[in-house]
Each structure stands twice: as C-alpha cells, then as structure tokens.
C-alpha cells in the first residue's frame, strides 16, 4: 500500500546570462530585464493550483530553487517568494525542524556578492556551479566566470552565515588529463565546502556539445580520474553517499536530493518544472510537467500545467530503482512497497539476479548496491525494465 513520503518543493527560474553548450536543462539566455514580480505572481498561482489539485495538507521537507541561474534574482524577490511559499504549508510537528532551502548560484562576482542577502532572505544552503577552476576549461564550457571568481564565491559562501554550501564540479572535460582533473578537485577541497557534487561531463541530446562534440578523455583516463579522485575525497574526510555526492558528515547531505533518490514527493513549479505526488487513497502516483517556455508560462490566458499523468504499476519498479540505486544506503522490501504500492515479489527475482552478478548485496533483509553495481549501474537498472 502506498504511503505519503516527505514533501519537497522545486522552484524553477529559467533564465541565464547565456546558455552553456553542455546544458540540457530548461534554461533561456537573457534578452531583457527579468520581470521578477510577474514571474513570482505566476509561481505562486502555479503553486496554489498544485496544492488544490492534490489537496496538499502536509509540511514541507525541503525547497530547492534551481535553474537556469536563480541568483540572477534579487535577494528581495527571493525573500518575498519564500515568505509566500511558507504561508501555504503547515509547519512541521517538530518545532525544531528547519526546512532546507537551497539556491543554485553562479560564481560571477555580481551573484556572489548577493549571498549574504540570500541568507537573510531565508536561504540556508547555496549550491555554486563552479564546474572547473581551470580558466581554459571554463571558456570551453561556456562559463562566464573565471577561476578567481569561483574561489571568491566559495569564500563568500563560507563567510555569509549559511549552514552549508555545495560546489558543483565536473571532470572528464575536453582534453583533460588526470593531473588536471585532480588539481580541480584539490582546489575545491581546499575551499572547505561541507558538500561536493563531483561528476563526469556527459554529452546530452539537444545541446551544442551534442551537435559538435568535444574531444573527451579516453575511458582509461576517466577511470584513473575517478579512482584517484575517490581517494582524495576520502582522505579529506568526505563521505560518498550517492554516485556523485559527497558530504562532511550526514548532516550536510543534500536533503532535497535525498528525497528525490528515496522516491519522496515534490511539487514542481516554474517553467518546465516536473513534479511527483503520491495519493495513497487512490493508490496512485502522479507526475506533472509545467509549460516550458517563459512566454507561455507567463501568459495569463493559459494554465501553467502542460500535462499530468499517473505512473502505471508496470513502470513503478524501474522508477523506484532508478532513483534508489544511486544511493549507498541500503533499502528494505517495506521501503519499496511503501513507495510503489506493489508487493516485494515484483522485484525479488531481478534482485536475486543482480545479487548473483555481484551488482547488489543482501544483508539482514536489506539490499544495497555494490561498488561493482555502481560502476555498471545501467546494466543493473536494465534488470528492472
């Protein structure tokens, strides 16, 4: 039987100074000043519609303001938005519980200088899209900041009062050597973030890189980068809790992303935002997608919802495993049953096959991905299709 999981809120702000060639997110290069008030009005109307649509009457677990480049918004606008959002949800039953509020930011000087204002507005976690500390790599990635601005942004985040900040860092960049990738990682570690997202550049469809692919390192170089990088992170006290996520202690893990990976619920508002809501009374899981382009989303004659569909029971095992198997934390059959509304025997045979292939382990009723399973995650996931 389905159980209502924790509820998060994703808020999408779609504008960027320019579109990066590797980015397949719904982002749009700025062509004029942003009408913050108009967009906030539409975000709140979108949220109100979702709350009514699903009869939401539970507290928020986390908020993530992503994009795009949300740090292009003023701190005053972010504060106004957060005040209105919190008015719409009941407080947690634990008076000491504090909702994690993350805002994505670019490390350009203008955005970095806003960090203190974002903190005062209610943001308690900032995720900085550094990607690299090598200026030549940043140019090829289409980033508008340089290495000095990236370092300065991290220093400001360290000092502005927020509880935690994350550095987003890529490896496997065009013609990147093992030494170059590790230099990037060493610089990130030296800035002492409580959380690091360290992941390999992949070429996605509908991007400039897909049309004109860069020359990426060979597989053996990529493997060396990962192997040596893992050791560096471990020596620096970072614990890997997901394929590309590392934290200095459990309390600094990204609560919002954990909710995704543990198949929690989330409302998605803003241009092209995706949402997922469990309705136990109907034994149903719904997914929503909002209107993608800002012009359409902010058209007062249109609704914000582009489409909604229920997740068929046949797709739930794969959806659960696609998220859950990214984590290093084990799961039980009762976890699976609560998240999918299906009996455990719908995946037992596939799990046993995965165990025989040393892709997962079983211990005291819990299942966990092995290091071998994480390396061959696509092969593991194919067992649940």
């Amino acid at each position: 039987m389905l159980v209502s999981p924790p509820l998060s809120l994703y808020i999408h702000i779609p504008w960027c100074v320019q579109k990066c060639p590797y980015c397949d997110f719904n982002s749009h290069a700025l062509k004029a000043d942003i009408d913050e008030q108009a967009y906030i009005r539409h975000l709140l109307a979108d949220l109100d519609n979702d709350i009514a649509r699903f009869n939401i009457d539970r507290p928020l677990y986390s908020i993530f303001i992503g994009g795009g480049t949300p740090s292009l918004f003023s701190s005053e606008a972010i504060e106004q938005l957060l005040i209105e959002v919190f008015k719409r949800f009941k407080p947690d039953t634990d008076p000491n519980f504090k909702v994690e509020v993350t805002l994505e930011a670019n490390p350009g000087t203008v955005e970095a200088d806003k960090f203190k204002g974002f903190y005062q507005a209610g943001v308690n976690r900032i995720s900085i899209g550094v990607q690299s500390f090598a200026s030549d790599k940043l140019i090829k990635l289409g980033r508008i900041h340089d290495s000095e601005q990236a370092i300065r942004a991290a220093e400001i985040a360290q000092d502005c009062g927020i509880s935690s900040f994350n550095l987003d860092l890529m490896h496997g960049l065009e013609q990147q050597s093992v030494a170059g990738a590790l230099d990037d990682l060493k610089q990130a570690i030296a800035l002492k973030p409580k959380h690091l997202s360290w992941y390999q550049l992949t070429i996605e469809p509908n991007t400039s890189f897909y049309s004109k692919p860069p020359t990426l390192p060979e597989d053996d170089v990529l493997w060396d980068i990962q192997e040596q990088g893992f050791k560096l992170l471990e020596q620096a006290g970072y614990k890997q809790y997901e394929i590309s996520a590392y934290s200095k202690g459990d309390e600094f893990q990204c609560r919002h992303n954990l909710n995704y990976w543990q198949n929690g619920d989330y409302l998605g508002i803003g241009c092209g935002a995706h949402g997922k809501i469990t309705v136990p009374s109907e034994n149903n899981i719904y997914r929503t997608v909002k209107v993608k382009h800002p012009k359409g989303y902010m058209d007062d004659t249109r609704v914000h919802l582009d489409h909604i569909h229920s997740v068929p029971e046949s797709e739930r095992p794969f959806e659960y495993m696609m998220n859950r198997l990214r984590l290093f934390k084990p799961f039980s059959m009762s976890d699976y049953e609560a998240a999918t509304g299906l009996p455990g025997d719908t995946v037992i045979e596939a799990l046993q096959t995965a165990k025989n292939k040393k892709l997962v382990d079983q211990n005291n009723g819990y299942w966990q991905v092995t290091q071998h399973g994480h390396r061959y995650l696509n092969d593991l996931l194919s067992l649940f299709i």
Side-chain angles (χ1 to χ4, degrees), residues 48 268 294:
D48 287 337

Side-chain angles (χ1 to χ4, degrees), residues 34-338:
I34 301 170
D35 188 341
E36 294 180 340
Q37 290 303 309
Y39 193 65
I40 288 173
R41 176 169 57 83
H42 281 277
L43 286 173
L44 294 173
D46 187 1
L47 178 58
D48 287 337
N49 289 333
D50 268 357
I51 289 172
R53 180 177 292 116
F54 298 112
N55 194 26
I56 299 295
D57 185 31
R58 41 184 167 139
L60 276 179
Y61 182 68
S62 64
I63 299 172
F64 196 102
I65 307 173
T69 307
S71 56
L72 290 174
F73 265 45
S74 67
S75 57
E76 292 82 7
I78 296 297
E79 181 177 24
Q80 176 190 352
L81 175 60
L82 290 175
I83 287 172
E84 290 299 323
V85 164
F86 280 115
K87 286 180 182 178
R88 287 159 168 79
F89 295 90
K90 60 166 44 173
D92 195 272
T93 53
D94 179 358
N96 296 316
F97 178 81
K98 191 171 185 178
V99 176
E100 176 191 87
V101 182
T102 302
L103 182 138
E104 288 186 330
N106 271 351
T109 302
V110 174
E111 288 86 358
D113 286 343
K114 294 180 181 177
F115 287 179
K116 189 170 183 179
F118 291 138
Y119 165 66
Q120 293 171 340
V123 172
N124 50 38
R125 186 176 183 274
I126 288 178
S127 182
I128 307 172
V130 170
Q131 314 312 351
S132 176
F133 291 97
S135 292
D136 62 321
K137 301 298 186 223
L138 289 170
I139 291 169
K140 290 181 179 179
L141 288 171
R143 305 298 285 170
I144 61 171
H145 65 273
D146 59 29
S147 57
E148 289 184 7
Q149 288 174 319
I151 292 169
R152 178 63 181 149
E155 292 171 344
I156 293 171
Q158 186 78 265
D159 297 335
C160 75
I162 60 170
S163 305
S164 174
F165 74 95
N166 168 66
L167 293 183
D168 240 32
L169 195 67
M170 288 183 178
H171 61 82
L173 307 180
E174 183 174 4
Q175 297 181 335
Q176 188 176 48
S177 65
V178 175
L182 296 180
D183 282 345
D184 263 357
L185 188 55
K186 289 174 184 176
Q187 176 62 79
I189 290 170
L191 293 168
K192 300 180 180 179
K194 299 297 185 184
H195 191 283
L196 266 168
S197 297
W198 188 60
Y199 52 94
Q200 183 179 322
L201 170 64
T202 55
I203 307 302
E204 303 290 348
N206 302 315
T207 64
S208 295
F209 274 179
Y210 190 78
S211 303
K212 298 179 180 179
T215 304
L216 301 184
E218 299 290 336
D219 286 347
D220 57 343
V221 174
L222 293 172
W223 184 245
D224 284 345
I225 289 171
Q226 290 186 36
E227 287 285 281
Q228 295 185 46
F230 292 157
K231 293 177 183 177
L232 270 178
L233 287 160
E234 186 177 13
Q235 290 167 1
Y238 288 92
K239 178 182 177 183
Q240 185 178 19
Y241 67 97
E242 188 266 346
I243 288 176
S244 60
Y246 305 78
S247 68
K248 283 280 187 90
D250 292 351
E251 69 272 26
F252 297 113
Q253 293 177 3
C254 179
R255 189 188 300 164
H256 188 88
N257 286 343
L258 273 174
N259 199 36
Y260 287 157
W261 297 323
Q262 294 180 129
N263 289 270
D265 279 352
Y266 51 96
L267 296 170
I269 62 173
C271 299
H274 290 237
K276 175 247 175 184
I277 294 293
T278 304
V279 183
S281 62
E282 300 178 14
N283 196 37
N284 220 332
I285 299 170
Y286 290 96
R287 291 197 173 273
T288 60
V289 182
K290 303 303 171 59
V291 172
K292 187 174 182 179
H293 198 278
K295 185 177 180 180
Y297 183 82
M298 297 173 71
D299 183 343
D300 290 327
T301 67
R302 295 182 60 177
V303 296
H304 301 106
L305 181 68
D306 185 63
H307 65 269
I308 180 172
H309 73 276
S310 60
V311 181
E313 289 187 357
S314 61
E315 295 178 8
R316 293 181 194 177
F318 177 75
E319 283 207 359
Y320 179 86
M321 295 299 174
M322 181 177 61
N323 289 305
R324 196 61 183 76
L325 295 180
R326 293 181 64 91
L327 292 175
F328 284 68
K329 182 180 178 181
F331 68 93
S332 66
M333 280 298 100
S334 60
D335 294 332
Y336 169 80
E337 291 168 355

